[in-house]
Amino acid sequence: MESCTVQLDEDTGKFITLYLFINVENTEEIRKKLISGELQCCVMKAGLVVDLFQVIVAANKAVVNEKFGKLTTRTIFTEILFNMSLSKNITQSLVKFGIDDKEKNIIVGIIHGSDNTEAMAKDSLAAIKGERVSIGRLKEITDTSVVKKIYKVDESELKVSSLVDCVVSKMNTKDFASY
Amino acid sequence: MHQVRAIARHSGQDTMEIKGFEIVKQGAEARLFKGTYLGRPALIKERFVKKYRHPDLDTLLTKDRTKGEARAIVRAKAAGVKTPALFLVDFDRRRIYMEYINDAITLKDYIDSNISDKENVGCLISFIAEQVGSAVARLHSRNIIHGDLTTSNMLLKNYPVSQRERTGEKDEKNNFEGEIILIDFGLAHVESTAEDKAVDLYVLERALLSAHSEVPSLFPEMLQFYQKFCTSKDKRDVIAKYKEVQARGRKRLMIG
């Protein structure tokens, strides 16, 4: 199945690979494994992602902050969820973008170096009981109206730029602007 | 010890090259690099170290200006003015990574090649005046001051190149609304006083006067559209103040 790999900031030497799953049955289990650290990946609600670029920007900020020793949360994976949120409250951010036990559609993000994708992905992907589908189907899953509400994007803004551009611009200024 | 390390880092940090990027412009405060970032065309604005400043002060000033610029870009976007999307704001490397706007030209180049010394360009002038006037009005309605409104800091996309195109059928493609893009918010700030807005307009007038003196009707027309689109309560005050500023210049009189 089609996945998506993007090179993150050159200076970090990191990459992210993203997978989309639908009809996931064991979210509760996945969540426990994530919290215990058994799964080394980032898992989020697919409905809140308008475009993969949104996740890529959040992940890029996370790896850059990691390089400069400036992570706000404890791991790079929680940092991605925190970066996606406009809130400065860590718990709220993780609850909002991370999975809860009811979640069916999820995006899995794996951070890796230039070579070892498959090995890193294998364990994480094996733990997910659901249907892995093409990344292109994300647009069927995204709940655009909820995304607009969460990121406080109004119509005048959408006249001059795409929703994903509004979202990433706001994400990037959350540390020093209030929304 | 701490301070020594800070100074050492400070002096050795000037980037002239960024891998995969080419330098496109160098200003008084920053360099611009063009390339690809996270799979999209990108522009990096890197504020370089000013060696004559105390390192701590330099870091602080750069951080504040980077913050201010990023904040203003996002606010302007929310006000309905087209600005580049932000990909990363990085205080450690003193950079803002943003969207590179493809297929656009500066308003300055557009006016120079399509309006200056040409005949029958009234419609194009009105088009430009409306675009700029309404964009500045939208900024000011949300109390955003750009601080450096010049035709080099405005980009134009999907522009009409002739009279016929402008007056032709207004279908989806020919709808030029929102196609002006404001850039370089390095001097921007949020201020609600009529004085600041008036000075912002005055800076624009002076910029037009020096760069496009052959198109004298441009600014008066812009001002008309500005008044038409400005929704803030202090609109009258701004215009009154503007006349005052025009009479005395940008700097305020300081007596006492």
Side-chain angles (χ1 to χ4, degrees), chain B residues 198-254:
Chain B
V199 170
D200 216 23
L201 289 174
Y202 180 67
V203 167
L204 175 61
E205 184 189 12
R206 296 302 299 238
L208 290 173
L209 220 57
S210 71
H212 309 288
S213 54
E214 64 293 338
V215 198
S217 63
L218 203 48
F219 186 74
E221 273 205 58
M222 274 177 196
L223 205 57
Q224 290 299 318
F225 282 109
Y226 174 84
Q227 284 171 276
K228 186 176 158 198
F229 291 107
C230 194
T231 56
S232 75
K233 278 171 274 159
D234 59 353
K235 189 163 77 184
R236 275 165 187 277
D237 290 350
V238 173
I239 299 301
K241 270 275 184 227
Y242 160 73
K243 298 214 166 99
E244 212 177 280
V245 174
Q246 202 181 27
R248 70 161 144 82
R250 187 169 56 87
K251 297 249 181 352
R252 244 180 279 206
L253 269 182
M254 291 290 186

Side-chain angles (χ1 to χ4, degrees), chain A residues 6-12 53 56-57 60-62 64-65 67-68 70 152 154 156-162 164-166 168-170 172-173 175-179, chain B residues 19-20 37-40 63 66-68 70-71 73-93 95 97 99 138 142 177-178:
Chain A
V6 175
Q7 180 178 17
L8 301 178
D9 196 288
E10 180 104 28
D11 293 353
T12 65
F53 193 65
I56 293 164
V57 167
N60 184 59
K61 189 177 168 191
V64 169
N65 280 349
K67 180 183 153 73
F68 290 104
K70 286 189 174 163
K152 299 188 179 105
D154 60 28
S156 66
E157 201 165 350
L158 291 173
K159 270 191 199 146
V160 291
S161 69
S162 64
V164 62
D165 281 357
C166 298
V168 297
S169 300
K170 285 189 173 176
N172 271 320
T173 48
D175 303 322
F176 47 87
S178 49
Y179 297 110
Chain B
K19 207 178 154 212
Y37 195 64
L38 307 176
R40 285 181 60 174
K63 195 172 172 183
T66 306
K67 267 187 202 172
R71 212 184 271 140
I73 287 174
V74 177
R75 272 177 202 261
K77 208 184 270 302
V81 175
K82 200 165 182 146
T83 53
L86 300 178
F87 296 165
L88 179 71
V89 180
D90 186 339
F91 300 125
D92 294 289
R93 289 178 291 182
R95 294 176 189 163
Y97 291 72
E99 173 189 10
R138 280 195 286 265
R142 300 270 188 113
E177 200 188 341

Side-chain angles (χ1 to χ4, degrees), chain A residues 58 80 84 91 110 112 114 135 137 139 155 160 169 171:
Chain A
I80 295 175
M84 288 180 73
T91 311
I110 291 168
H112 53 90
S114 57
I135 282 289
R137 289 184 60 186
K139 54 182 176 296
E155 292 306 316
V160 291
S169 300
M171 272 167 35

